[in-house]
Amino acid sequence: MLVAGVVFFCGCAQNFPRPADLLYAGDGLSGNDVFEKTFIAHGGEYLDELEDVSVALDGEWKFLITRIQPLVTDHRYRVVSEERLIPKQGAYAAQFVGPAGVKKVVRTPEKIRVFYDGEESFDADVLASTALTADSFFLFTLGPLALGEHRGQFQRLQDAREGGRTYYRIYSAVSPGIGVSEQDEIVLWVDQETNLTYRIHITLEGYKTTQGAHVDVSFVGYQTRGPFILASRFSERVLGPIKIKAHDWYLTGLDINRGMMFDSLDGPAYSGAAAKPATALQP
């Protein structure tokens, strides 16, 4: 029944766009030129001043993705969350609450820790799948601000048009990849009028059940804090090997520069400056 449902509800899968497939000639802007435009538009010139980010999230998982990827979505825990980032350290933490209980995640470039209801898990599948989602949400939360170390590594693809707007598209292969993969690929869609990143398209080689898959996340709202513009509403689709809607989520709270230290993120619960919920956004 599950297989029949997948076939019935899925659209036609798409190939991941790569420079070998889509050559561009036109206005003279390189992929790196376009990345600089969107990096600056989101506040990249002031990135050294971005010490930490606190967000509160809520959202909805689509039924089919929870059946296809139950451990990656972990949807009975990952409903509402308080998430903390320290960009300069590449550190991400999340405390999720759902009908099954509380899941706490701590991710750095060197390690991944996962706690369920205060008990640390050492299950290899839990750790690998959670590393994948943690790195993905670090990228989605910061947008191009998460990719500063990849400046100078982007190639221009053909532009795309959607919803009456035209978007630059730029490609990069990133190593290490997302989660525990050696390499992944990223395509940014950049609005030609605002230079804001509208969509991030990524491969997911970091976990055994997602290898060969790719997803995109569209930014359908933004919040400004000082010189920084961060996405505030997100819509995720799986585009291959099948095409389905996966997850919609949105910020319910946002703070920057609380003065958090990594120790306040680590362990089964937040402490110190990380413990206070993110300041609620006005509806």
Side-chain angles (χ1 to χ4, degrees):
M1 290 181 64
L2 178 59
V3 171
V6 168
V7 171
F8 182 79
F9 286 108
C10 294
C12 296
Q14 297 180 13
N15 293 325
F16 193 88
R18 296 182 172 94
D21 301 328
L22 298 172
L23 301 178
Y24 177 81
D27 57 16
L29 292 174
S30 69
N32 293 323
D33 293 335
V34 173
F35 181 76
E36 289 301 311
K37 283 177 173 287
T38 195
F39 186 71
I40 291 170
H42 283 269
E45 288 182 300
Y46 304 93
L47 189 57
D48 285 346
E49 300 173 18
L50 187 61
E51 300 295 336
D52 55 70
V53 178
S54 300
V55 295
L57 303 180
D58 196 355
E60 177 188 13
W61 291 100
K62 306 305 181 183
F63 174 75
L64 196 53
I65 192 64
T66 66
R67 301 301 298 271
I68 296 171
Q69 294 286 357
L71 188 55
V72 173
T73 61
D74 216 358
H75 67 285
R76 288 184 54 77
Y77 285 93
R78 294 179 61 209
V79 180
V80 299
S81 64
E82 289 279 347
E83 306 188 8
R84 308 288 183 259
L85 295 79
I86 302 179
K88 293 176 184 177
Q89 298 180 32
Y92 165 92
Q95 184 165 288
F96 302 101
V97 179
V102 178
K103 179 181 183 178
K104 176 74 183 336
V105 175
V106 183
R107 173 67 166 158
T108 69
E110 294 79 30
K111 69 177 182 180
I112 178 72
R113 301 183 75 189
V114 181
F115 302 83
Y116 286 103
D117 298 317
E119 295 293 325
E120 189 163 8
S121 173
F122 299 97
D123 181 275
D125 285 326
V126 167
L127 296 178
S129 63
T130 302
L132 178 83
T133 57
D135 288 357
S136 298
F137 270 65
F138 183 91
L139 173 60
F140 300 148
T141 301
L142 293 178
L145 300 180
L147 297 170
E149 64 184 35
H150 300 290
R151 295 169 82 175
Q153 299 176 21
F154 285 88
Q155 300 178 61
R156 182 83 179 269
L157 304 181
Q158 288 180 343
D159 295 345
R161 190 159 178 84
E162 181 175 293
R165 301 183 75 85
T166 304
Y167 299 93
Y168 303 114
R169 295 191 306 164
I170 55 175
Y171 167 96
S172 183
V174 296
S175 299
I178 297 166
V180 298
S181 72
E182 294 183 2
Q183 179 176 283
D184 273 292
E185 298 168 278
I186 295 176
V187 170
L188 301 185
W189 290 44
V190 177
D191 189 306
Q192 291 192 0
E193 295 182 16
T194 66
N195 290 323
L196 295 177
T197 293
Y198 162 67
R199 177 174 288 158
I200 297 180
H201 190 172
I202 59 174
T203 59
L204 295 172
E205 295 300 307
Y207 185 56
K208 60 186 180 183
T209 67
T210 63
Q211 290 172 356
H214 55 106
V215 304
D216 71 12
V217 171
S218 299
F219 298 165
V220 292
Y222 302 89
Q223 286 281 328
T224 300
R225 291 292 183 277
F228 304 108
I229 299 178
L230 302 176
S232 61
R233 300 189 71 88
F234 309 80
S235 183
E236 179 180 10
R237 307 178 297 180
V238 177
L239 297 180
I242 60 175
K243 184 176 180 180
I244 58 173
K245 293 183 178 180
H247 189 200
D248 293 327
W249 73 97
Y250 54 93
L251 300 190
T252 60
L254 172 63
D255 294 313
I256 67 168
N257 292 349
R258 290 186 177 185
M260 293 185 296
M261 305 296 288
F262 177 75
D263 287 349
S264 68
L265 310 183
D266 206 3
Y270 293 134
S271 61
K276 181 183 176 182
T279 301
L281 296 176
Q282 295 298 320

